[in-house]
Structure formats: C-alpha cells, structure tokens
Amino acid sequence: MFGEQKVCFSGVQPSGNLTIGNYLGAIKNFAEFSQHYKTFYCVVDEHAITVRQNPAELRRRTYETLALYMACGLDPEKNTLYVQSMVHEHAELAWLLNCFTMFGELSRMTQFKDKSAKHSDNINAGLFTYPVLMAADILLFQTDVVPVGIDQKQHVELCRDIANRLNQIYPDLFTVPEPIMAKSGKKIMSLAEPTKKMSKSDENTNAVVYILDDKDTIIRKFKRAVTDSEAEIRFSEDKPGVSNLMTIYSCFTGNTYDEIEREFAGKGYGDFKLAVGEATADALAPVQARFAELMADKAGLEAQMKRGAEEASYYARRTLSKIQKKLGFVQIR
C-alpha cells in the first residue's frame, strides 16, 4: 500500500494473440479496479522469453498488448500501463527474492511441470524461477490485491510465502497480497477440448477465439465447438462443452445460467452456438475498432510506454531501495 490507497497489480504476456479467455478472465475486469485501487497493469515481456520468441513478433505483440489494454477500457489517466522490461527494478528485485525462495517450492509449481513437458528441448532456469519474477512484479508495488485466474493462484500463494518469510526476518518489509478471482469467466475452456483451458498457444486455432478475430471467424469457430449428444442446454459438470459456451454467453450478455437455460429451452445446439458467436462478436466489435485506432498511432503508444514506465519506476524504486537497505547493500546518495 502506498499512502492510504490500496494497490492492485496484474500483468499479461505478449506471447501470442490474446484470447477471449484473457479478456473475460482478466482484462475485462481490470477497469473496475481503478475505482477502488491504485492500479498497475503491465505487459510482462520478460516472462515471455522463458519460451523462445521471434524478436520482431515479440516487439509487435508488446505494442498490441498495450493497445488492447487501452482498447478494453483501461484509461492511462486512471491506471499505470507500462512494459515490464522498461522498469529494471522488476529484474533486480527478482534476484533478491530468488535468494529467499526454496528450490523445493519452485519444483512443486504445476506450471513448471506442464511447460517443461511441453518445451522439453528448452527447460531453462528462467522457466524454473518464473514464479519468483512474478512475485517481484507483485511485491515491487506493495500490492494488496492480484486479480488472477485459477491457474495462477498457486503462483500468488508462493508470492505470499516469500513475502511472509522476508517479513519474519525484516518486519513490515512487504505488503502480503491477496488473490482475487473474477466473479465470472474465471476459466474459459477450449472449444475443441472443453476440459482444457483455452490457450493462446493452442496449435488448433479452431479451439481458440481471439479478441481480434473478425465476426465471420468467431461465428465459424463457435459453430464447430464441441458439445455432446444430448441436445439439452443446461449447466452441468457432465456437460463441459455446453457449460463452457454458457459461461462465455453469460460473460458477454450478463445473463445467468438459469436465464440462458430458459432462453434456449427447446432449441438445438445450432441456435445456441450461433447466439454465443454473435454475442461474442458484437461485444468485441468496439474493442477491435478502438484497437485499430491505437495501433495506427505508434508514436502515441510509445509515449504511453515511456510515461507508464516512469510512473511505475517511481513507485518501484521506493520498494527496491527499502529492501536493499535492509539486506545491507551500500546506498550512497
């Protein structure tokens, strides 16, 4: 916490096109936090390089992710929007926290196991210590709350453990953050494999709806979505495909599951899939239009990167200087 205002932090990787899962599970909900918190929203490009990236694509997607933040309703006047690699304190604090993080803690991280299996030819140290950099991202701003999806909750728990460990040695060093889950759309699933999370890195593009997909593409993908043989629209654990579509429709329309069941009672999956596709496309249309405007003004995006990095650095330096002093590093002004 800085002063009396509590702090909210979150970040999105610029590795791949962002999906409606990223939008519904995270970015769409970010704007409301600025009403109650000092908010820091970061394009976490340093996290992205744990997996090999094409440099030109990474740069392009960094611009795109910042533009999407703004297109999705994040006002730069009310939120600090910036690029991680432009604020060197992230990497500096990560090294210090590495020295207070146990090897066993990192080896238990589910995402490390998953990504190691997926990228067996590149199991690098950054992939292993990724959660420590994430902890640094959060603790750097004395963050009170972190909006997360289910798959990132374990990382926030580790961040809390690290903060508590350091606070025991150096009292009141860090604010211990609380994870907060989105009210809906916490986890949007693949359209092809509805028991698996929708992922921007999925090789099957029909399984994923991207924020920037055009209307025809969106509707085509939903028409192909996996459901089941029952032809009954109801929310149930034994109907993962239909339940996933209901979650998406609920997020974009605001309708409850009961309302959706009544709306499509007696109708087939074809009608329902078309309705989900149209609701998704209609909701994304203004986001896409604003995104196009922002991307046409590269100088404007770069000015925001600079402005956001300067503001983030101002707060980050305060935390980094505090921990450096506690650890015994020489500080000469």
Side-chain angles (χ1 to χ4, degrees), residues 45-113:
D45 54 343
E46 290 177 337
H47 283 292
I49 64 168
T50 57
V51 176
R52 294 287 174 259
Q53 301 290 335
N54 177 299
E57 283 189 13
L58 181 61
R59 275 189 286 272
R60 173 177 58 80
R61 286 172 173 159
T62 299
Y63 282 92
E64 289 177 350
T65 305
L66 184 70
L68 276 172
Y69 270 149
M70 296 164 69
C72 290
L74 294 181
D75 183 348
E77 299 300 318
K78 298 178 181 178
N79 306 274
T80 302
L81 310 176
Y82 70 102
V83 177
Q84 183 185 32
S85 62
M86 294 183 178
V87 179
H88 61 82
E89 288 86 358
H90 281 272
E92 289 185 58
L93 182 58
W95 169 249
L96 302 183
L97 298 185
N98 266 320
C99 299
F100 292 86
T101 305
M102 301 301 109
F103 186 91
E105 290 175 317
L106 293 177
S107 65
R108 289 191 292 272
M109 292 290 106
T110 304
Q111 282 211 337
F112 173 69
K113 296 173 185 176

Side-chain angles (χ1 to χ4, degrees), residues 6-7 51 65 94 125 129 136 179 187 191 193 195 202 231 238 241 243 262 268 279 293:
K6 289 190 174 184
V7 175
V51 176
T65 305
T129 60
K187 198 169 185 178
L191 297 187
E193 298 178 68
T195 56
D202 198 318
D238 63 353
S243 297
R262 287 196 294 272
E293 291 176 7

Side-chain angles (χ1 to χ4, degrees), residues 286-306:
V287 174
Q288 294 173 353
R290 177 62 178 145
F291 173 81
E293 291 176 7
L294 291 162
M295 287 300 292
D297 183 13
K298 186 177 180 182
L301 286 174
E302 290 177 345
Q304 176 53 44
M305 288 179 183
K306 187 173 186 295

Side-chain angles (χ1 to χ4, degrees), residues 121-184:
D121 59 335
N122 181 30
I123 306 175
N124 58 73
L127 194 62
F128 187 68
T129 60
Y130 169 106
V132 183
L133 178 57
M134 183 174 168
D137 299 337
I138 296 166
L139 298 179
L140 197 54
F141 300 104
Q142 301 293 352
T143 300
D144 295 276
V145 296
V146 186
V148 291
I150 294 170
D151 58 326
Q152 290 291 336
K153 195 174 180 204
Q154 188 185 31
H155 287 170
V156 179
E157 291 301 328
L158 176 64
C159 174
R160 288 170 52 83
D161 290 342
I162 295 169
N164 281 320
R165 182 174 297 136
L166 277 153
N167 284 346
Q168 287 178 355
I169 305 169
Y170 311 105
D172 302 319
L173 185 58
F174 289 120
T175 299
V176 180
E178 293 284 347
I180 51 176
M181 311 292 285
K183 293 175 185 175
S184 61

